[in-house]
């Protein structure tokens, strides 16, 4: 038999190099580049223009109009005739020289501080409770929070009126059954501290659901491994929350606090329906003071000036809070 050499595998032929595709012709003509598909141009701005214009009209126009009225002598006669006289900063000077105004300012900040602290603390506790419940309990608590949050302000305020009614209120009935005979036919809203406390309870009850749901949604984004590692290192529940959970949720807490500051400053409906600022001035805060000044004495200029000062103070509180928060973030 003839001897043959070892077989070798045939060398594969090189793959053909695909030819480069010619660039597609420009859609806008020879002198233009390819058409951009990122949505740039005037069309998106035209779509949002009605919303921006409506928001600017509803927000900026009342603010500017209020600034103008606060620098005029604007009473009932000027409201009808329209010939208001420019007085500069006289209305602000009148308010700042009024001792009652500064009492209202102090009461406003006290009302805001008490409400915001209670809302944030209770909402945090409720959010932590929800995160530890099972599916059924979590669903029940969240449903109750949403229902309480969705109740109209007037309806909730009316419920509190009946709860603390002097003759038919459930609170007086329950306290007298427990042996506190001094609360029989007790008029809660005729006592200044009691009326103030009732309003705090009402505002906190209405505000905790939103804050609790928001904080619970943020808690679900915190990895469990971090808390478990902190607990393995010997940290208590409070230490784990302070060292792990709170730093990660600091922006959410900042948002909740800012919103609660704004809503507490705007707690006009509850106060006006329950006490109208009384008894005396025990529950009068700046929004109520502005309405009382405008309606009782028909001094719309002083009432508008008080409203401008309210907005300025609220903005100042938020600016100071943001600066302090950003300073802490920068130091970390």
């Amino acid at each position: 038999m003839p001897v043959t050499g070892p077989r070798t595998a045939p060398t594969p032929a090189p793959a053909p190099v695909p030819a480069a595709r010619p660039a597609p012709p420009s859609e806008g003509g020879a002198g233009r580049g390819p058409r951009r598909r990122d949505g740039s141009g005037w069309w998106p701005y035209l779509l949002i223009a009605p919303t921006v214009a409506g928001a600017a009209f509803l927000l900026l126009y009342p603010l500017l109009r209020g600034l103008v009225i606060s620098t005029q002598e604007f009473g009932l006669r000027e409201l009808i005739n329209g010939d208001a006289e420019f007085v500069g900063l006289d209305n602000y000077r009148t308010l700042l020289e009024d001792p009652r105004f500064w009492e209202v300012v102090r009461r406003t900040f006290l009302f805001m501080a008490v409400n915001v602290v209670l809302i944030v603390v209770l909402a945090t506790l409720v959010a932590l409770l929800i995160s530890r419940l099972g599916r059924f309990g979590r669903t029940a608590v969240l449903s109750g929070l949403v229902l309480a949050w969705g109740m109209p302000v007037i309806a909730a305020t009316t419920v509190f009126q009946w709860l603390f009614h002097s003759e038919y209120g459930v609170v007086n009935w329950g306290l007298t059954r427990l042996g506190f005979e001094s609360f029989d036919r007790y008029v809660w809203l005729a006592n200044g501290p009691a009326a103030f406390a009732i309003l705090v309870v009402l505002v906190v009850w209405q505000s905790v659901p939103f804050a609790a749901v928001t904080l619970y949604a943020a808690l679900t984004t915190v990895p469990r491994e971090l808390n478990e590692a902190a607990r393995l290192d010997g940290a208590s529940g409070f230490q784990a929350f302070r060292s792990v959970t709170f730093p990660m949720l600091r922006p959410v807490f900042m948002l909740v606090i800012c919103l609660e500051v704004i809503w507490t400053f705007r707690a006009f409906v509850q106060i006006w329906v329950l006490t109208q600022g009384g008894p005396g001035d025990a529950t009068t805060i700046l929004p109520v003071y502005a309405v009382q000044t405008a309606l009782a004495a028909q001094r719309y200029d002083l009432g508008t000036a008080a409203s401008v000062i309210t907005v300025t103070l609220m903005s100042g509180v938020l600016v100071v809070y943001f600066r302090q928060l950003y300073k802490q973030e920068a130091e970390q």
Side-chain angles (χ1 to χ4, degrees):
M1 296 179 62
V3 180
T4 59
R7 296 182 179 180
T8 58
T11 303
V17 179
R21 294 183 179 180
S26 61
E27 300 179 5
R32 302 181 183 177
R35 184 177 180 180
R36 298 179 63 182
R37 299 180 180 273
D38 58 354
S40 61
W42 291 103
W43 182 242
Y45 300 99
L46 292 177
L47 290 177
I48 65 173
T51 302
V52 173
F57 178 77
L58 294 176
L59 297 177
L60 294 180
Y61 175 76
L63 179 60
L64 296 177
R65 180 60 176 162
L67 288 173
V68 172
I69 294 177
S70 66
T71 59
Q72 296 176 335
E73 184 180 354
F74 202 95
L76 183 60
R77 183 180 65 84
E78 288 77 13
L79 180 64
I80 298 175
N81 298 331
D83 54 345
E85 179 183 356
F86 178 77
V87 295
L89 300 178
D90 289 349
N91 293 321
Y92 294 97
R93 188 178 300 110
T94 302
L95 287 177
L96 298 179
E97 293 176 354
D98 185 7
R100 179 172 176 254
F101 172 78
W102 290 109
E103 287 291 334
V104 172
V105 170
R106 285 192 289 269
R107 189 178 302 108
T108 302
F109 278 95
L110 174 63
F111 185 76
M112 179 199 68
V114 172
N115 278 283
V116 172
V117 170
L118 289 177
I119 290 168
V120 174
V121 171
L122 292 177
T124 304
L125 295 177
V126 173
L128 292 173
L129 172 65
I130 297 173
S131 64
R132 285 164 173 76
L133 292 176
R135 179 178 299 180
F136 176 78
R138 183 167 57 249
T139 303
V141 174
L142 288 175
S143 300
L145 290 175
V146 171
L147 290 176
W149 182 35
M151 180 177 292
V153 177
I154 296 295
T157 307
T158 304
V159 170
F160 269 71
Q161 278 183 320
W162 282 106
L163 286 175
F164 292 93
H165 195 274
S166 59
E167 294 185 13
Y168 308 107
V170 176
V171 175
N172 284 351
W173 176 83
L175 290 175
T176 52
R177 291 297 184 276
L178 292 175
F180 300 97
E181 298 296 336
S182 60
F183 288 97
D184 185 23
R185 299 179 182 273
Y186 183 76
V187 184
W188 291 88
L189 299 180
N191 182 278
F196 188 89
I198 291 173
L199 286 170
V200 169
V201 173
L202 173 58
V203 174
V204 170
W205 181 79
Q206 290 178 323
S207 303
V208 162
F210 170 80
V213 173
T214 303
L215 293 176
Y216 166 70
L219 284 173
T220 59
T221 64
V222 179
R224 293 184 178 179
E225 294 80 5
L226 298 179
N227 286 317
E228 293 175 356
R231 299 301 293 270
L232 290 176
D233 290 339
S236 62
F238 176 76
Q239 291 174 338
F241 176 82
R242 184 185 61 184
S243 303
V244 177
T245 305
F246 181 76
M248 296 185 66
L249 302 183
R250 189 187 299 271
V252 180
F253 276 95
M254 178 183 68
L255 174 64
V256 170
I257 291 175
C258 292
L259 291 176
E260 298 304 333
V261 168
I262 295 172
W263 290 342
T264 303
F265 262 102
R266 295 173 54 237
F268 167 78
V269 176
Q270 299 92 325
I271 298 175
W272 193 256
V273 172
L274 276 179
T275 63
Q276 293 187 356
D281 282 338
T283 58
T284 300
I285 62 175
L286 279 172
V288 179
Y289 175 82
V291 174
Q292 288 177 343
T293 304
L295 296 182
Q298 296 179 349
R299 291 296 305 273
Y300 305 109
D301 46 4
L302 291 179
T304 306
S307 300
V308 173
I309 293 177
T310 302
V311 174
T312 304
L313 290 176
M314 181 178 63
S315 303
V317 170
L318 295 178
V319 168
V320 171
Y321 175 73
F322 274 116
R323 289 186 60 184
Q324 185 66 24
L325 187 63
Y326 291 149
K327 183 179 180 180
Q328 294 177 359
E329 292 287 345
E331 292 177 353
Q332 294 178 357

